[in-house]
Amino acid sequence: MTVPLALLGLLGREPSHGYDLKRDYDAYFGRGKPLPPGQVYSTLSRLARDGKVVMGEVEPGTGPDRKRYVITDLGATELGDWLQTPAEPEPHLQTVLFTKVVLALLLERDAAGYLDLQRAAHLQRMRELTEVRRSGSLVDRLLADHGLFHLEADLRWIDQTAARLDALAAEVKA
């Protein structure tokens, strides 16, 4: 997820304060990884510098003045182009999982044990996401489905790699 484009999208609905953008970002996209407030304001500053947003009305609040941000035509055009461009399919060919397995084999460590630990961690996360799928909102359920499908693919890869571990060890040591 690209934070600048997500914030532009949220601003595409209506001008908003940084606090409101953070709240909405976290509600829609920040499940398990909320956006730090500093990142919201640094991103808005860069978007303003690049002419994609402008600061609108400044309103007094109980603390510092609240700045309302407005998307510009340039920002709206970039957002529209991004929304109409398909996302690049991401076949993660060099993942952390793969790197750890190869390094374990190169260092003559327990790659099979690592795969077992990783399988257990994936299964635990799948149980958590299955609970979200049962009890969450539609947004939460769809995000859980996405995560579950990726975890299922990883588990298939883990099983396939475990079955080929001896051959992989021979190849990486050659």
mmCIF file of all heavy atoms in Angstrom, residues 69-92:
data_model
loop_
_atom_site.group_PDB
_atom_site.id
_atom_site.type_symbol
_atom_site.label_atom_id
_atom_site.label_comp_id
_atom_site.label_asym_id
_atom_site.label_seq_id
_atom_site.Cartn_x
_atom_site.Cartn_y
_atom_site.Cartn_z
ATOM 1 N N TYR A 69 -6.493 19.905 4.716
ATOM 2 C CA TYR A 69 -5.799 19.683 3.455
ATOM 3 C C TYR A 69 -6.814 19.405 2.349
ATOM 4 O O TYR A 69 -7.842 18.777 2.579
ATOM 5 C CB TYR A 69 -4.833 18.503 3.584
ATOM 6 C CG TYR A 69 -3.706 18.814 4.541
ATOM 7 C CD1 TYR A 69 -3.836 18.567 5.902
ATOM 8 C CD2 TYR A 69 -2.530 19.391 4.083
ATOM 9 C CE1 TYR A 69 -2.811 18.872 6.786
ATOM 10 C CE2 TYR A 69 -1.498 19.695 4.966
ATOM 11 C CZ TYR A 69 -1.649 19.429 6.313
ATOM 12 O OH TYR A 69 -0.636 19.743 7.186
ATOM 13 N N VAL A 70 -6.484 19.903 1.145
ATOM 14 C CA VAL A 70 -7.363 19.788 -0.017
ATOM 15 C C VAL A 70 -6.543 19.205 -1.171
ATOM 16 O O VAL A 70 -5.416 19.658 -1.423
ATOM 17 C CB VAL A 70 -7.913 21.177 -0.414
ATOM 18 C CG1 VAL A 70 -8.826 21.084 -1.633
ATOM 19 C CG2 VAL A 70 -8.610 21.844 0.752
ATOM 20 N N ILE A 71 -7.097 18.238 -1.862
ATOM 21 C CA ILE A 71 -6.411 17.661 -3.021
ATOM 22 C C ILE A 71 -6.460 18.659 -4.168
ATOM 23 O O ILE A 71 -7.466 19.357 -4.364
ATOM 24 C CB ILE A 71 -7.039 16.299 -3.413
ATOM 25 C CG1 ILE A 71 -6.163 15.552 -4.413
ATOM 26 C CG2 ILE A 71 -8.456 16.479 -3.917
ATOM 27 C CD1 ILE A 71 -6.594 14.098 -4.637
ATOM 28 N N THR A 72 -5.376 18.756 -4.931
ATOM 29 C CA THR A 72 -5.324 19.654 -6.093
ATOM 30 C C THR A 72 -5.685 18.861 -7.351
ATOM 31 O O THR A 72 -5.822 17.637 -7.318
ATOM 32 C CB THR A 72 -3.908 20.231 -6.271
ATOM 33 O OG1 THR A 72 -3.010 19.147 -6.560
ATOM 34 C CG2 THR A 72 -3.465 21.008 -5.042
ATOM 35 N N ASP A 73 -5.798 19.582 -8.476
ATOM 36 C CA ASP A 73 -6.060 18.903 -9.750
ATOM 37 C C ASP A 73 -4.934 17.925 -10.083
ATOM 38 O O ASP A 73 -5.195 16.820 -10.566
ATOM 39 C CB ASP A 73 -6.218 19.926 -10.879
ATOM 40 C CG ASP A 73 -7.512 20.719 -10.775
ATOM 41 O OD1 ASP A 73 -8.436 20.263 -10.058
ATOM 42 O OD2 ASP A 73 -7.600 21.793 -11.400
ATOM 43 N N LEU A 74 -3.687 18.325 -9.800
ATOM 44 C CA LEU A 74 -2.551 17.436 -10.054
ATOM 45 C C LEU A 74 -2.660 16.176 -9.192
ATOM 46 O O LEU A 74 -2.459 15.061 -9.679
ATOM 47 C CB LEU A 74 -1.230 18.160 -9.758
ATOM 48 C CG LEU A 74 0.042 17.326 -9.908
ATOM 49 C CD1 LEU A 74 0.217 16.855 -11.352
ATOM 50 C CD2 LEU A 74 1.252 18.137 -9.449
ATOM 51 N N GLY A 75 -3.013 16.330 -7.935
ATOM 52 C CA GLY A 75 -3.187 15.186 -7.048
ATOM 53 C C GLY A 75 -4.326 14.293 -7.500
ATOM 54 O O GLY A 75 -4.217 13.058 -7.483
ATOM 55 N N ALA A 76 -5.431 14.905 -7.917
ATOM 56 C CA ALA A 76 -6.589 14.136 -8.384
ATOM 57 C C ALA A 76 -6.251 13.365 -9.664
ATOM 58 O O ALA A 76 -6.676 12.221 -9.846
ATOM 59 C CB ALA A 76 -7.783 15.054 -8.611
ATOM 60 N N THR A 77 -5.471 13.982 -10.542
ATOM 61 C CA THR A 77 -5.060 13.306 -11.776
ATOM 62 C C THR A 77 -4.172 12.111 -11.461
ATOM 63 O O THR A 77 -4.371 11.013 -12.003
ATOM 64 C CB THR A 77 -4.313 14.289 -12.706
ATOM 65 O OG1 THR A 77 -5.210 15.344 -13.049
ATOM 66 C CG2 THR A 77 -3.816 13.599 -13.961
ATOM 67 N N GLU A 78 -3.187 12.301 -10.556
ATOM 68 C CA GLU A 78 -2.314 11.188 -10.190
ATOM 69 C C GLU A 78 -3.119 10.067 -9.545
ATOM 70 O O GLU A 78 -2.917 8.894 -9.852
ATOM 71 C CB GLU A 78 -1.217 11.644 -9.237
ATOM 72 C CG GLU A 78 -0.282 10.512 -8.876
ATOM 73 C CD GLU A 78 0.902 10.936 -8.045
ATOM 74 O OE1 GLU A 78 1.351 12.084 -8.161
ATOM 75 O OE2 GLU A 78 1.373 10.091 -7.271
ATOM 76 N N LEU A 79 -4.039 10.414 -8.671
ATOM 77 C CA LEU A 79 -4.883 9.418 -8.021
ATOM 78 C C LEU A 79 -5.710 8.668 -9.062
ATOM 79 O O LEU A 79 -5.781 7.434 -9.044
ATOM 80 C CB LEU A 79 -5.799 10.075 -6.989
ATOM 81 C CG LEU A 79 -6.822 9.163 -6.334
ATOM 82 C CD1 LEU A 79 -6.133 8.082 -5.505
ATOM 83 C CD2 LEU A 79 -7.780 9.984 -5.476
ATOM 84 N N GLY A 80 -6.329 9.386 -9.979
ATOM 85 C CA GLY A 80 -7.138 8.751 -11.023
ATOM 86 C C GLY A 80 -6.323 7.807 -11.882
ATOM 87 O O GLY A 80 -6.754 6.689 -12.181
ATOM 88 N N ASP A 81 -5.117 8.251 -12.268
ATOM 89 C CA ASP A 81 -4.238 7.384 -13.070
ATOM 90 C C ASP A 81 -3.879 6.124 -12.299
ATOM 91 O O ASP A 81 -3.884 5.020 -12.852
ATOM 92 C CB ASP A 81 -2.950 8.129 -13.462
ATOM 93 C CG ASP A 81 -3.210 9.243 -14.467
ATOM 94 O OD1 ASP A 81 -4.307 9.287 -15.072
ATOM 95 O OD2 ASP A 81 -2.300 10.083 -14.639
ATOM 96 N N TRP A 82 -3.556 6.278 -11.009
ATOM 97 C CA TRP A 82 -3.170 5.135 -10.178
ATOM 98 C C TRP A 82 -4.328 4.153 -10.027
ATOM 99 O O TRP A 82 -4.138 2.939 -10.111
ATOM 100 C CB TRP A 82 -2.697 5.645 -8.818
ATOM 101 C CG TRP A 82 -2.271 4.573 -7.873
ATOM 102 C CD1 TRP A 82 -1.163 3.774 -7.978
ATOM 103 C CD2 TRP A 82 -2.935 4.185 -6.675
ATOM 104 N NE1 TRP A 82 -1.100 2.909 -6.897
ATOM 105 C CE2 TRP A 82 -2.177 3.148 -6.085
ATOM 106 C CE3 TRP A 82 -4.087 4.612 -6.023
ATOM 107 C CZ2 TRP A 82 -2.542 2.535 -4.887
ATOM 108 C CZ3 TRP A 82 -4.444 4.012 -4.839
ATOM 109 C CH2 TRP A 82 -3.679 2.985 -4.287
ATOM 110 N N LEU A 83 -5.536 4.690 -9.822
ATOM 111 C CA LEU A 83 -6.704 3.818 -9.645
ATOM 112 C C LEU A 83 -7.040 3.040 -10.916
ATOM 113 O O LEU A 83 -7.632 1.968 -10.848
ATOM 114 C CB LEU A 83 -7.917 4.634 -9.195
ATOM 115 C CG LEU A 83 -7.868 5.171 -7.767
ATOM 116 C CD1 LEU A 83 -9.050 6.096 -7.497
ATOM 117 C CD2 LEU A 83 -7.840 4.030 -6.760
ATOM 118 N N GLN A 84 -6.678 3.580 -12.074
ATOM 119 C CA GLN A 84 -6.989 2.913 -13.338
ATOM 120 C C GLN A 84 -5.862 2.015 -13.841
ATOM 121 O O GLN A 84 -6.019 1.343 -14.856
ATOM 122 C CB GLN A 84 -7.321 3.952 -14.405
ATOM 123 C CG GLN A 84 -8.605 4.690 -14.109
ATOM 124 C CD GLN A 84 -8.889 5.779 -15.114
ATOM 125 O OE1 GLN A 84 -8.120 6.050 -16.019
ATOM 126 N NE2 GLN A 84 -10.024 6.428 -14.951
ATOM 127 N N THR A 85 -4.747 1.983 -13.125
ATOM 128 C CA THR A 85 -3.610 1.159 -13.536
ATOM 129 C C THR A 85 -3.606 -0.120 -12.712
ATOM 130 O O THR A 85 -3.603 -0.065 -11.482
ATOM 131 C CB THR A 85 -2.289 1.930 -13.316
ATOM 132 O OG1 THR A 85 -2.351 3.167 -14.024
ATOM 133 C CG2 THR A 85 -1.104 1.110 -13.780
ATOM 134 N N PRO A 86 -3.603 -1.278 -13.382
ATOM 135 C CA PRO A 86 -3.578 -2.526 -12.617
ATOM 136 C C PRO A 86 -2.317 -2.609 -11.759
ATOM 137 O O PRO A 86 -1.251 -2.145 -12.160
ATOM 138 C CB PRO A 86 -3.561 -3.621 -13.684
ATOM 139 C CG PRO A 86 -3.929 -2.955 -14.954
ATOM 140 C CD PRO A 86 -3.608 -1.499 -14.816
ATOM 141 N N ALA A 87 -2.461 -3.199 -10.596
ATOM 142 C CA ALA A 87 -1.306 -3.422 -9.728
ATOM 143 C C ALA A 87 -0.426 -4.486 -10.364
ATOM 144 O O ALA A 87 -0.909 -5.432 -10.985
ATOM 145 C CB ALA A 87 -1.766 -3.863 -8.348
ATOM 146 N N GLU A 88 0.863 -4.326 -10.198
ATOM 147 C CA GLU A 88 1.822 -5.305 -10.708
ATOM 148 C C GLU A 88 1.657 -6.610 -9.935
ATOM 149 O O GLU A 88 1.718 -6.604 -8.709
ATOM 150 C CB GLU A 88 3.240 -4.765 -10.523
ATOM 151 C CG GLU A 88 4.310 -5.594 -11.173
ATOM 152 C CD GLU A 88 4.282 -5.549 -12.688
ATOM 153 O OE1 GLU A 88 3.893 -4.513 -13.259
ATOM 154 O OE2 GLU A 88 4.644 -6.571 -13.294
ATOM 155 N N PRO A 89 1.423 -7.725 -10.622
ATOM 156 C CA PRO A 89 1.388 -8.995 -9.901
ATOM 157 C C PRO A 89 2.735 -9.198 -9.223
ATOM 158 O O PRO A 89 3.778 -8.968 -9.825
ATOM 159 C CB PRO A 89 1.162 -10.037 -11.000
ATOM 160 C CG PRO A 89 0.565 -9.258 -12.128
ATOM 161 C CD PRO A 89 1.158 -7.883 -12.027
ATOM 162 N N GLU A 90 2.704 -9.582 -7.973
ATOM 163 C CA GLU A 90 3.938 -9.650 -7.196
ATOM 164 C C GLU A 90 4.302 -11.082 -6.828
ATOM 165 O O GLU A 90 4.052 -11.525 -5.721
ATOM 166 C CB GLU A 90 3.784 -8.815 -5.926
ATOM 167 C CG GLU A 90 3.585 -7.349 -6.199
ATOM 168 C CD GLU A 90 3.434 -6.540 -4.940
ATOM 169 O OE1 GLU A 90 3.811 -7.024 -3.857
ATOM 170 O OE2 GLU A 90 2.946 -5.426 -5.044
ATOM 171 N N PRO A 91 4.915 -11.781 -7.762
ATOM 172 C CA PRO A 91 5.415 -13.106 -7.385
ATOM 173 C C PRO A 91 6.727 -12.904 -6.635
ATOM 174 O O PRO A 91 7.767 -12.686 -7.220
ATOM 175 C CB PRO A 91 5.627 -13.795 -8.732
ATOM 176 C CG PRO A 91 5.938 -12.664 -9.677
ATOM 177 C CD PRO A 91 5.176 -11.471 -9.141
ATOM 178 N N HIS A 92 6.652 -12.922 -5.351
ATOM 179 C CA HIS A 92 7.813 -12.633 -4.512
ATOM 180 C C HIS A 92 8.872 -13.706 -4.714
ATOM 181 O O HIS A 92 8.859 -14.734 -4.054
ATOM 182 C CB HIS A 92 7.403 -12.565 -3.041
ATOM 183 C CG HIS A 92 6.312 -11.588 -2.788
ATOM 184 N ND1 HIS A 92 6.526 -10.236 -2.811
ATOM 185 C CD2 HIS A 92 5.000 -11.753 -2.523
ATOM 186 C CE1 HIS A 92 5.399 -9.602 -2.564
ATOM 187 N NE2 HIS A 92 4.453 -10.509 -2.386
#
